[in-house]
Amino acid sequence: TNAPTNAPTNAPTSPVPTQKPTTAAPTTPLPTHKPTTAAPTTPPTSKPTLDPASNFVVGYYPDWEVDNICKNDGAPPPYMANNQVGWMLSSLEECCTKYFSWKLNACM
């Protein structure tokens, strides 16, 4: 083996590849058919979580801080985005009926 140098070479320093495959045995171990650990290293979470890489939010949510209406702009407060099943509704009518029944016409 040659020691590294600071100057590049003009030609390969190893032998030229052959035109035929070799018949020599592999030098790396073969994959196993069994797991490498006896059990998972960490237990699964109690319930599915949102993918942190995605800010994908679907549905209507109540906006109590600004307009007191239901919005579908994909930007609910974090506590709603993190619990979409509990807060997000599939239609404007559902959202307004659930959260703003006292001002249903203004919400819609």
Side-chain angles (χ1 to χ4, degrees):
T1 307
N2 297 336
T5 67
N6 289 330
T9 60
N10 291 327
T13 57
S14 59
V16 178
T18 63
Q19 296 298 316
K20 298 179 184 177
T22 63
T23 56
T27 57
T28 57
L30 295 174
T32 64
H33 295 284
K34 296 179 181 179
T36 56
T37 58
T41 54
T42 58
T45 58
S46 61
K47 60 183 177 180
T49 57
L50 295 177
D51 177 4
S54 116
N55 293 326
F56 192 64
V57 178
V58 177
Y60 290 85
Y61 67 93
D63 177 11
W64 289 300
E65 295 181 16
V66 179
D67 301 318
N68 282 323
I69 61 171
C70 289
K71 292 184 174 181
N72 183 15
D73 59 4
Y79 71 93
M80 290 184 192
N82 291 333
N83 183 12
Q84 292 185 41
V85 173
W87 290 102
M88 309 306 280
L89 295 164
S90 60
S91 74
L92 178 62
E93 183 178 2
E94 267 185 298
C95 181
C96 290
T97 301
K98 182 172 182 175
Y99 297 113
F100 300 106
S101 59
W102 49 272
K103 57 177 274 181
L104 193 58
N105 289 339
C107 180
M108 309 258 303

